[in-house]
Amino acid sequence: MSVTQQQVLDSLARIKSPRGVALTNANVLSAISASDGKVFFSINVDAAEARAWEQVRAEAEAAVRAIPGVTTVMVALTAERKAGAAPPPPPQPSRGTPGVQPVHAHKPPQGGGSPMARQSEIPGVAAVIAVASGKGGVGKSTTALNLALGLRDLGLKVGLLDADIYGPSVPRLTGLRDKPELNPERKMIPLRRFGLAIMSIGFLVEEETAMIWRGPMVMSAVTQMLRDVEWGQLDVLVVDMPPGTGDAQLTLAQNVPLKGAVIVSTPQDLSLIDARRGLAMFKKVNVPVLGIVENMSYFQCPHCGTKSDIFGHGGARHEAEKLAVPFLGEIPLHMAIRASSDAGSPVVDSEPDGPHAAIYRAIAGQVRDQLKGVIAAA
């Protein structure tokens, strides 16, 4: 059953703003995306009013979820302080609509101010680890998938979450094009391939869709893919992070107690500079760094066997030694890795006895060894 924007608007018209105005008349709704049972939109308010609007956001999400045919809903509350706006004034007696407090009277709870206080385990998942990079184009997603397969080959039950909201690569890397189904509790059931439980925002939107989302929308999407997916029993959930040090990374760190992060870099200086930022971010939020992987470490000619250091060589190893974190290994720039990735048949699965699969499994073994305290022994 197709869901239209008008159905969504009709549903939202029954929700009242904190001042009693119909949500559709409050001039706060973004454009509404509604297709294939999936509905996305945001509620845009001034930062001073954010606390008063959170309940409205929850009611709006529940109302849209109740529309027949809706399978997925993401509603973000976007709060921005207006240019030149002063901090909200101290509470005063209400002069507005009877029974409605002025928005500045809604204060966050006092005490326990750390955002990490919101962390909670994902039921059934023993360890969540992030695969991250300071910049794009370093082969992070390919590394995340092959690392997950390497952990699988070590006898672990593994899931893969593609949290790269703006550029999801996992659908192409795995060859999966299906849409997730819902279980009776209305949680998404991850797709399965290569023995992995797999979820990606790319399964919910078309490949050509431009994800023009503000930070709060990204945070809502990451949270939903963590919490509203029936992951089952997993030893490790590998999360392919977007590049950089932004909202998605902080959302993950604040939502679940990450057991560690793997940083992917190339040997060149520009990549290493950004990798340092990623390392610094994870350390700041008390996430253990499991190590650094040097991807595209060297090129080995398939004809003569000569090695060429196209991007330099050894930079990531030196950086790991300098920062006192483990160096997990070198992955070459090779046609087989690129071709198998583009074909949706990752090299650890398509060439399990080859040299590149052995490299990924060796990296996976080091990661597994650092997680032995929290996962079942393989």
PDB file of all heavy atoms in Angstrom, residues 142 171-175 177 335-346:
ATOM      1  N   THR A 142      35.143  -1.092   2.302  1.00  0.00           N
ATOM      2  CA  THR A 142      35.688  -2.381   1.866  1.00  0.00           C
ATOM      3  C   THR A 142      36.390  -3.073   3.025  1.00  0.00           C
ATOM      4  O   THR A 142      36.249  -4.289   3.224  1.00  0.00           O
ATOM      5  CB  THR A 142      36.664  -2.171   0.694  1.00  0.00           C
ATOM      6  OG1 THR A 142      35.955  -1.598  -0.400  1.00  0.00           O
ATOM      7  CG2 THR A 142      37.279  -3.495   0.257  1.00  0.00           C
ATOM      8  N   PRO A 171      25.300  -1.754   0.217  1.00  0.00           N
ATOM      9  CA  PRO A 171      24.460  -2.432  -0.779  1.00  0.00           C
ATOM     10  C   PRO A 171      25.239  -2.835  -2.032  1.00  0.00           C
ATOM     11  O   PRO A 171      25.072  -3.943  -2.548  1.00  0.00           O
ATOM     12  CB  PRO A 171      23.383  -1.387  -1.094  1.00  0.00           C
ATOM     13  CG  PRO A 171      23.259  -0.602   0.174  1.00  0.00           C
ATOM     14  CD  PRO A 171      24.669  -0.500   0.680  1.00  0.00           C
ATOM     15  N   ARG A 172      26.103  -1.958  -2.527  1.00  0.00           N
ATOM     16  CA  ARG A 172      26.896  -2.287  -3.710  1.00  0.00           C
ATOM     17  C   ARG A 172      27.964  -3.343  -3.389  1.00  0.00           C
ATOM     18  O   ARG A 172      28.200  -4.259  -4.169  1.00  0.00           O
ATOM     19  CB  ARG A 172      27.551  -1.009  -4.255  1.00  0.00           C
ATOM     20  CG  ARG A 172      28.491  -1.212  -5.434  1.00  0.00           C
ATOM     21  CD  ARG A 172      27.758  -1.790  -6.641  1.00  0.00           C
ATOM     22  NE  ARG A 172      26.748  -0.885  -7.139  1.00  0.00           N
ATOM     23  CZ  ARG A 172      26.947  -0.004  -8.113  1.00  0.00           C
ATOM     24  NH1 ARG A 172      28.131   0.105  -8.681  1.00  0.00           N
ATOM     25  NH2 ARG A 172      25.950   0.755  -8.536  1.00  0.00           N
ATOM     26  N   LEU A 173      28.604  -3.220  -2.236  1.00  0.00           N
ATOM     27  CA  LEU A 173      29.678  -4.152  -1.880  1.00  0.00           C
ATOM     28  C   LEU A 173      29.169  -5.565  -1.633  1.00  0.00           C
ATOM     29  O   LEU A 173      29.913  -6.537  -1.788  1.00  0.00           O
ATOM     30  CB  LEU A 173      30.408  -3.649  -0.628  1.00  0.00           C
ATOM     31  CG  LEU A 173      31.206  -2.350  -0.775  1.00  0.00           C
ATOM     32  CD1 LEU A 173      31.748  -1.906   0.572  1.00  0.00           C
ATOM     33  CD2 LEU A 173      32.349  -2.529  -1.777  1.00  0.00           C
ATOM     34  N   THR A 174      27.907  -5.693  -1.222  1.00  0.00           N
ATOM     35  CA  THR A 174      27.338  -7.008  -0.933  1.00  0.00           C
ATOM     36  C   THR A 174      26.426  -7.522  -2.040  1.00  0.00           C
ATOM     37  O   THR A 174      26.009  -8.686  -2.004  1.00  0.00           O
ATOM     38  CB  THR A 174      26.527  -6.980   0.372  1.00  0.00           C
ATOM     39  OG1 THR A 174      25.476  -6.007   0.248  1.00  0.00           O
ATOM     40  CG2 THR A 174      27.411  -6.617   1.562  1.00  0.00           C
ATOM     41  N   GLY A 175      26.075  -6.653  -2.990  1.00  0.00           N
ATOM     42  CA  GLY A 175      25.165  -7.057  -4.044  1.00  0.00           C
ATOM     43  C   GLY A 175      23.722  -7.175  -3.596  1.00  0.00           C
ATOM     44  O   GLY A 175      22.888  -7.740  -4.310  1.00  0.00           O
ATOM     45  N   ARG A 177      19.963  -5.814  -2.807  1.00  0.00           N
ATOM     46  CA  ARG A 177      19.058  -4.756  -3.252  1.00  0.00           C
ATOM     47  C   ARG A 177      17.681  -4.872  -2.596  1.00  0.00           C
ATOM     48  O   ARG A 177      16.792  -4.081  -2.875  1.00  0.00           O
ATOM     49  CB  ARG A 177      18.889  -4.823  -4.782  1.00  0.00           C
ATOM     50  CG  ARG A 177      20.151  -4.518  -5.566  1.00  0.00           C
ATOM     51  CD  ARG A 177      20.563  -3.064  -5.447  1.00  0.00           C
ATOM     52  NE  ARG A 177      21.725  -2.753  -6.272  1.00  0.00           N
ATOM     53  CZ  ARG A 177      22.975  -2.904  -5.891  1.00  0.00           C
ATOM     54  NH1 ARG A 177      23.229  -3.377  -4.675  1.00  0.00           N
ATOM     55  NH2 ARG A 177      23.982  -2.601  -6.688  1.00  0.00           N
ATOM     56  N   MET A 335      44.046  -5.151  -7.873  1.00  0.00           N
ATOM     57  CA  MET A 335      42.896  -5.276  -8.750  1.00  0.00           C
ATOM     58  C   MET A 335      41.856  -6.244  -8.206  1.00  0.00           C
ATOM     59  O   MET A 335      40.644  -6.003  -8.311  1.00  0.00           O
ATOM     60  CB  MET A 335      43.350  -5.747 -10.133  1.00  0.00           C
ATOM     61  CG  MET A 335      42.247  -5.764 -11.170  1.00  0.00           C
ATOM     62  SD  MET A 335      41.907  -4.116 -11.813  1.00  0.00           S
ATOM     63  CE  MET A 335      43.365  -3.851 -12.825  1.00  0.00           C
ATOM     64  N   ALA A 336      42.279  -7.336  -7.592  1.00  0.00           N
ATOM     65  CA  ALA A 336      41.337  -8.351  -7.118  1.00  0.00           C
ATOM     66  C   ALA A 336      40.420  -7.792  -6.037  1.00  0.00           C
ATOM     67  O   ALA A 336      39.219  -8.095  -6.008  1.00  0.00           O
ATOM     68  CB  ALA A 336      42.097  -9.573  -6.593  1.00  0.00           C
ATOM     69  N   ILE A 337      40.955  -6.974  -5.138  1.00  0.00           N
ATOM     70  CA  ILE A 337      40.142  -6.385  -4.070  1.00  0.00           C
ATOM     71  C   ILE A 337      39.134  -5.421  -4.661  1.00  0.00           C
ATOM     72  O   ILE A 337      37.950  -5.428  -4.309  1.00  0.00           O
ATOM     73  CB  ILE A 337      41.042  -5.682  -3.032  1.00  0.00           C
ATOM     74  CG1 ILE A 337      41.987  -6.684  -2.377  1.00  0.00           C
ATOM     75  CG2 ILE A 337      40.188  -4.984  -1.976  1.00  0.00           C
ATOM     76  CD1 ILE A 337      42.995  -6.064  -1.437  1.00  0.00           C
ATOM     77  N   ARG A 338      39.581  -4.565  -5.590  1.00  0.00           N
ATOM     78  CA  ARG A 338      38.682  -3.602  -6.218  1.00  0.00           C
ATOM     79  C   ARG A 338      37.600  -4.285  -7.035  1.00  0.00           C
ATOM     80  O   ARG A 338      36.405  -3.973  -6.910  1.00  0.00           O
ATOM     81  CB  ARG A 338      39.507  -2.654  -7.093  1.00  0.00           C
ATOM     82  CG  ARG A 338      38.762  -1.392  -7.537  1.00  0.00           C
ATOM     83  CD  ARG A 338      37.888  -1.598  -8.760  1.00  0.00           C
ATOM     84  NE  ARG A 338      38.627  -2.135  -9.886  1.00  0.00           N
ATOM     85  CZ  ARG A 338      38.047  -2.682 -10.947  1.00  0.00           C
ATOM     86  NH1 ARG A 338      36.733  -2.799 -11.002  1.00  0.00           N
ATOM     87  NH2 ARG A 338      38.778  -3.169 -11.929  1.00  0.00           N
ATOM     88  N   ALA A 339      37.995  -5.258  -7.864  1.00  0.00           N
ATOM     89  CA  ALA A 339      37.031  -5.910  -8.752  1.00  0.00           C
ATOM     90  C   ALA A 339      35.993  -6.704  -7.974  1.00  0.00           C
ATOM     91  O   ALA A 339      34.795  -6.669  -8.282  1.00  0.00           O
ATOM     92  CB  ALA A 339      37.769  -6.809  -9.738  1.00  0.00           C
ATOM     93  N   SER A 340      36.420  -7.416  -6.952  1.00  0.00           N
ATOM     94  CA  SER A 340      35.473  -8.222  -6.176  1.00  0.00           C
ATOM     95  C   SER A 340      34.519  -7.325  -5.392  1.00  0.00           C
ATOM     96  O   SER A 340      33.334  -7.646  -5.244  1.00  0.00           O
ATOM     97  CB  SER A 340      36.223  -9.169  -5.233  1.00  0.00           C
ATOM     98  OG  SER A 340      36.990  -8.450  -4.276  1.00  0.00           O
ATOM     99  N   SER A 341      35.008  -6.183  -4.925  1.00  0.00           N
ATOM    100  CA  SER A 341      34.148  -5.244  -4.202  1.00  0.00           C
ATOM    101  C   SER A 341      33.078  -4.673  -5.124  1.00  0.00           C
ATOM    102  O   SER A 341      31.899  -4.623  -4.781  1.00  0.00           O
ATOM    103  CB  SER A 341      34.983  -4.113  -3.602  1.00  0.00           C
ATOM    104  OG  SER A 341      35.896  -4.610  -2.639  1.00  0.00           O
ATOM    105  N   ASP A 342      33.482  -4.243  -6.317  1.00  0.00           N
ATOM    106  CA  ASP A 342      32.528  -3.685  -7.279  1.00  0.00           C
ATOM    107  C   ASP A 342      31.490  -4.711  -7.702  1.00  0.00           C
ATOM    108  O   ASP A 342      30.351  -4.366  -8.025  1.00  0.00           O
ATOM    109  CB  ASP A 342      33.259  -3.156  -8.507  1.00  0.00           C
ATOM    110  CG  ASP A 342      34.011  -1.860  -8.235  1.00  0.00           C
ATOM    111  OD1 ASP A 342      33.810  -1.273  -7.147  1.00  0.00           O
ATOM    112  OD2 ASP A 342      34.801  -1.437  -9.097  1.00  0.00           O
ATOM    113  N   ALA A 343      31.881  -5.981  -7.705  1.00  0.00           N
ATOM    114  CA  ALA A 343      30.981  -7.047  -8.142  1.00  0.00           C
ATOM    115  C   ALA A 343      30.062  -7.540  -7.032  1.00  0.00           C
ATOM    116  O   ALA A 343      29.239  -8.427  -7.253  1.00  0.00           O
ATOM    117  CB  ALA A 343      31.797  -8.223  -8.695  1.00  0.00           C
ATOM    118  N   GLY A 344      30.186  -6.972  -5.826  1.00  0.00           N
ATOM    119  CA  GLY A 344      29.353  -7.418  -4.710  1.00  0.00           C
ATOM    120  C   GLY A 344      29.755  -8.768  -4.173  1.00  0.00           C
ATOM    121  O   GLY A 344      28.945  -9.491  -3.589  1.00  0.00           O
ATOM    122  N   SER A 345      31.027  -9.115  -4.357  1.00  0.00           N
ATOM    123  CA  SER A 345      31.531 -10.416  -3.896  1.00  0.00           C
ATOM    124  C   SER A 345      32.876 -10.199  -3.222  1.00  0.00           C
ATOM    125  O   SER A 345      33.935 -10.397  -3.832  1.00  0.00           O
ATOM    126  CB  SER A 345      31.673 -11.378  -5.089  1.00  0.00           C
ATOM    127  OG  SER A 345      32.087 -12.657  -4.675  1.00  0.00           O
ATOM    128  N   PRO A 346      32.898  -9.748  -1.962  1.00  0.00           N
ATOM    129  CA  PRO A 346      34.138  -9.356  -1.290  1.00  0.00           C
ATOM    130  C   PRO A 346      35.189 -10.450  -1.302  1.00  0.00           C
ATOM    131  O   PRO A 346      34.883 -11.647  -1.280  1.00  0.00           O
ATOM    132  CB  PRO A 346      33.677  -9.029   0.136  1.00  0.00           C
ATOM    133  CG  PRO A 346      32.349  -9.696   0.281  1.00  0.00           C
ATOM    134  CD  PRO A 346      31.735  -9.694  -1.071  1.00  0.00           C
TER     135      PRO A 346
END
